[in-house]
Amino acid sequence: MRRPRNDPLEEQLAHALEQAGIDFACEDDPRNTKRLDFYLPQHDLYIEVKRMHTERLTDQMSRAENIIAVQGPAAVEWLCAMLVRPRA
């Protein structure tokens, strides 16, 4: 079972990933070696969630090649909707 997120945007994305049946590791999970918000091991992909751009994001984006940066509540909401929408 996943650990609760401190950030509501991260919690929203974690919930969407669970609903979509996508395995993920949170920042404190040993599988998430780059220590970004989420790691999707089946896709070797990281997701970093931010409310707004910060200088820290530049450092985080340099940690791995395959990172999706999701910035702002509307972007998180859109990504979550895409993850859980019915597949055709």
Side-chain angles (χ1 to χ4, degrees):
M1 179 168 259
R2 68 180 170 83
R3 297 179 82 184
R5 309 299 304 165
N6 291 329
D7 183 288
L9 294 179
E10 291 177 25
E11 178 60 39
Q12 185 178 353
L13 181 55
H15 182 69
L17 290 166
E18 286 177 335
Q19 283 187 303
I22 298 171
D23 181 39
F24 65 92
C26 293
E27 187 174 8
D28 56 354
D29 187 302
R31 298 177 296 165
N32 187 343
T33 60
K34 305 297 182 188
R35 309 275 301 150
L36 297 169
D37 291 331
F38 298 93
Y39 175 60
L40 284 53
Q42 294 172 327
H43 305 283
D44 193 24
L45 180 71
Y46 294 87
I47 301 175
E48 184 63 31
V49 177
K50 293 288 183 220
R51 290 199 170 277
M52 64 185 72
H53 184 79
T54 64
E55 289 185 27
R56 183 172 176 235
L57 181 60
T58 302
D59 171 61
Q60 291 169 314
M61 295 300 291
S62 69
R63 293 182 193 174
E65 289 183 6
N66 300 319
I67 303 174
I68 296 172
V70 186
Q71 183 175 309
V76 172
E77 187 174 318
W78 180 87
L79 178 58
C80 291
M82 292 299 103
L83 289 169
V84 299
R85 75 177 184 184
R87 306 276 192 269

